[in-house]
Amino acid sequence: METKPSEIASSKMFGGYNKRYKHFSPTLGCSMNFHIFFPPSPSPAHQFPVLYWLSGLTCTDENFIAKSGAQRAASAEGVALVVPDTSPRGLNVEGEADSWDFGVGAGFYLNATQEKWKNWRMYDYIVKELPKLLSDNFPQLNTSKASISGHSMGGHGALTIYLKNLDKYKSVSAFAPITNPINCPWGQKALTNYLGGNKADWEEYDATCLVSKFHDVAATILIDQGEDDKFLHDQLLPGKFEEACRSASVPLLLRMQPGYDHSYFFISTFIDDHISHHAQALNL
């Protein structure tokens, strides 16, 4: 199996390139695709810091690249964007595609412990395998200077991964993140199936729970949340996360945006602020 990434598509944009790659992931046991946006390079030896973007339920590595418009600011700021897929694919596990909020396209950025879902190890893929793959194969990336962001399920992934790896990421931001999955239907469904019935295990992947444990946060956490998001009150629960941050004295900028929903129209409106937030933290 070819673990080295091979390029499968390339498009020029704002002076840089969106490039799509395919590789075999030993962590997940299947082939995976990911995108990198490389900004225009000032010199052959230049290295770009990295912003990882984690996408939401039903998304692939393509949604953010095609819809967010993040490349304009990333190009101007000199930040490379790395956009992985949201779950293993092609494993043909029984029931993996039965519902849109669990299984394929819904990896929840955790390491499943239930035997049936043992390949669903997106946490290790994002935190361990992918950074090593990038540093081994792309000399133009400086993976030791990295930040992380995401939307919805990916916002949950970004927040939990950041809080558990404060030494690895300079900053975090999220759009409409699932901030308290142990208390929402999406989270309860995923956590029960992937991790089993022990709720203490669930808390390891809940940003609201983790803030009380990992509160040595230097960079302000930036969250944008649309006030007209139909998932706000049942699934996302940013108020719970805000309370937890306040209790732990963790710096949080939660911006409630009137009239905005859960879509990429919302993300594309505020993505430049997020790129700028991370560029600043990455010491550009």
Side-chain angles (χ1 to χ4, degrees):
M1 286 290 188
E2 183 54 64
T3 55
K4 198 174 170 64
S6 57
E7 186 179 313
I8 52 176
S10 177
S11 303
K12 190 169 186 180
M13 191 176 187
F14 297 115
Y17 285 89
N18 296 311
K19 290 184 179 285
R20 193 181 196 198
Y21 298 90
K22 182 176 192 167
H23 75 112
F24 179 80
S25 164
T27 304
L28 305 175
C30 64
S31 270
M32 292 294 282
N33 295 330
F34 63 91
H35 266 91
I36 304 176
F37 173 70
F38 296 98
S41 187
S43 71
H46 183 79
Q47 284 196 310
F48 297 107
V50 171
L51 175 60
Y52 295 94
W53 173 270
L54 307 183
S55 294
L57 291 164
T58 74
C59 290
T60 68
D61 60 303
E62 295 181 284
N63 301 68
F64 180 77
I65 289 294
K67 294 180 175 179
S68 71
Q71 294 92 334
R72 184 196 300 270
S75 177
E77 297 277 12
V79 174
L81 305 173
V82 174
V83 187
D85 204 345
T86 54
S87 78
R89 291 184 194 264
L91 291 165
N92 300 317
V93 175
E94 186 202 349
E96 68 175 17
D98 284 1
S99 54
W100 64 273
D101 57 356
F102 178 76
V104 171
F108 271 85
Y109 306 102
L110 49 71
N111 288 336
T113 55
Q114 301 306 290
E115 179 63 22
K116 181 176 179 179
W117 304 103
K118 62 179 185 279
N119 293 78
W120 267 249
R121 300 183 61 80
M122 288 300 293
Y123 179 90
D124 277 359
Y125 179 73
I126 300 297
V127 175
K128 297 176 182 174
E129 182 178 338
L130 194 55
K132 184 169 189 330
L133 187 81
L134 297 175
S135 65
D136 288 352
N137 292 284
F138 300 99
Q140 61 272 61
L141 301 181
N142 180 359
T143 53
S144 66
K145 287 176 81 173
S147 291
I148 193 162
S149 186
H151 171 231
S152 196
M153 175 186 73
H156 141 80
L159 292 171
T160 53
I161 286 170
Y162 174 75
L163 289 167
K164 292 166 87 158
N165 299 275
L166 291 168
D167 57 328
K168 283 191 171 78
Y169 304 96
K170 307 288 187 194
S171 53
V172 67
S173 73
F175 289 84
I178 304 169
T179 65
N180 192 199
I182 67 170
N183 287 317
C184 79
W186 283 341
Q188 289 163 348
K189 178 177 181 176
L191 298 169
T192 303
N193 282 290
Y194 290 135
L195 303 175
N198 182 356
K199 295 196 174 169
D201 296 338
W202 299 8
E203 292 180 3
E204 289 301 305
Y205 297 103
D206 184 301
T208 299
C209 300
L210 292 172
V211 158
S212 61
K213 283 191 200 177
F214 304 102
H215 44 69
D216 190 19
V217 177
T220 298
I221 296 170
L222 172 62
I223 294 177
D224 274 312
Q225 172 64 60
E227 286 185 359
D228 284 15
D229 187 327
K230 65 183 179 183
F231 303 117
L232 172 57
H233 302 294
D234 295 336
Q235 303 282 13
L236 306 176
L237 312 175
K240 299 272 192 194
F241 185 67
E242 189 176 29
E243 283 169 33
C245 286
R246 197 179 296 122
S247 297
S249 299
V250 166
L252 169 68
L253 177 57
L254 171 60
R255 308 195 304 186
M256 300 301 296
Q257 303 290 4
Y260 287 91
D261 59 17
H262 198 69
S263 71
Y264 267 87
F265 299 117
F266 159 58
I267 294 170
S268 63
T269 302
F270 299 104
I271 191 66
D272 288 13
D273 291 352
H274 287 243
I275 302 290
S276 169
H277 169 80
H278 294 296
Q280 207 173 344
L282 292 162
N283 301 321
L284 296 180

